[in-house]
């Protein structure tokens, strides 16, 4: 999508701007000439360096599929500056959430109801569940993926899934005391869930690995590592190998 304004740029001016934005995409913000912000080569180079430079592109180029795709692949949050039409482009939105799950906020309503896109988003950032359609906030696989990433994402789940013990347990293992208050009233009284929610993060790590160490060789490896670990008195720190790991 090339504008006639692009032709008005002199070769020397284009070369100068290409040199600037190739190393600092946000330099596009300082361009006073509309011709610069509407020059396809300059804007493409800018967003490849820094996706958020899309904010300073002309409206025409915010609707250029190649430019927007390059921008969201660099920084998913650049989706917010894309045209409405491209916020409804499945490939572009999927690329955006694969880069940053929270980019789901800027997708079209139709794509916030796309299961594959939402699942990709919550696997990268559990809080992206907040922007999913109501139906997908009630999708067991989607919600389970979200709470495994960020336990507090349980807050955005449907009432039905806040009463699902497996989902709440996964949330509490990840989010501890911050996740349990968002479970159903019934599950907030579950002794095992209360125990998990009060457990220091270092001990949570030890307990999870202990429960699963026989499942596969990877689990067995980490079981052996944690069994050798030294925890602080409150269980918040663990020494594994040569380094200290904090939850």
């Amino acid at each position: 999508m090339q504008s006639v304004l692009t032709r008005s740029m002199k070769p020397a001016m284009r070369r100068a701007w290409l040199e600037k934005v190739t190393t600092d995409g946000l330099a596009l913000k300082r361009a006073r000439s509309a011709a610069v912000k509407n020059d396809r080569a300059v804007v493409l180079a800018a967003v490849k360096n820094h996706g958020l430079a899309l904010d300073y592109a002309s409206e025409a180029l915010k609707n250029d599929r190649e430019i927007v795709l390059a921008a969201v692949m660099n920084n998913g949050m650049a989706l917010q500056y894309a045209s409405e039409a491209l916020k409804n482009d499945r490939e572009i939105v999927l690329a955006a959430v694969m880069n940053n799950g929270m980019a789901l906020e800027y997708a079209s309503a139709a794509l916030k109801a796309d299961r594959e896109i939402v699942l990709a988003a919550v696997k990268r950032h559990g809080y992206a569940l907040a922007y999913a359609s109501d139906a997908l906030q009630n999708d067991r696989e989607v919600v389970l993926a979200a709470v495994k990433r960020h336990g507090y994402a349980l807050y955005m789940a449907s009432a039905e899934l806040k009463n699902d013990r497996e989902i709440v347990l996964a949330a509490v293992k990840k989010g501890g005391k911050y996740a349990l208050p968002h479970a159903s009233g019934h599950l907030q009284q579950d002794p095992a869930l209360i125990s998990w929610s009060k457990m220091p993060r270092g001990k949570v790590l030890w307990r999870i690995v202990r429960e699963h160490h026989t499942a596969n060789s990877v689990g067995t490896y980490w079981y052996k590592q944690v069994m050798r670990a030294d925890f602080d008195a409150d269980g918040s720190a663990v020494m594994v190998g040569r380094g200290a790991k904090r939850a």
Side-chain angles (χ1 to χ4, degrees), residues 171-234:
V172 170
K173 284 181 177 180
K174 189 67 177 179
K177 64 183 180 180
Y178 300 105
L180 189 58
H182 303 296
S184 66
H186 167 68
L187 290 181
Q188 286 184 37
Q189 305 306 315
D190 185 302
L193 294 175
I194 292 173
S195 175
W196 273 103
S197 72
K198 292 181 177 180
M199 196 174 298
R201 293 297 296 153
K203 290 183 179 178
V204 168
L205 170 65
W206 180 85
R207 183 169 169 181
I208 291 173
V209 175
R210 184 181 63 179
E211 287 184 357
H212 298 286
H213 80 278
T214 59
N216 53 54
S217 59
V218 175
T220 300
Y221 169 78
W222 282 109
Y223 173 71
K224 291 177 180 177
Q225 296 302 307
V226 177
M227 285 298 289
R228 298 190 189 108
D230 295 320
F231 291 90
D232 285 348
D234 67 353

Side-chain angles (χ1 to χ4, degrees), residues 62-63 80-89 106-108:
K62 288 178 180 179
N63 193 43
Q80 64 189 293
Y81 304 120
S83 68
E84 293 304 310
L86 294 182
K87 288 177 181 178
N88 193 44
D89 183 299
Y106 305 107
S108 68

Side-chain angles (χ1 to χ4, degrees), residues 44 47-48 51 54 61-62 64-76 78-79 82 86 89-96 99:
L44 185 58
V47 300
K48 283 183 175 181
L54 185 63
L61 295 185
K62 288 178 180 179
D64 183 300
R65 196 171 186 280
E66 182 184 359
I67 285 175
V68 173
L69 185 58
V72 301
M73 289 180 71
N74 176 274
N75 188 321
L79 184 62
L86 294 182
D89 183 299
R90 196 171 187 280
E91 182 184 357
I92 285 176
V93 173
L94 186 57
N99 177 275

Side-chain angles (χ1 to χ4, degrees), residues 6-28:
T6 304
R7 301 171 191 163
S8 68
M9 285 190 68
K10 295 180 180 180
M13 182 180 182
R14 181 178 287 111
R15 284 196 301 271
W17 274 102
L18 282 171
E19 184 176 348
K20 289 179 183 178
V21 301
T22 298
T23 56
D24 178 13
L26 293 180
L28 189 62

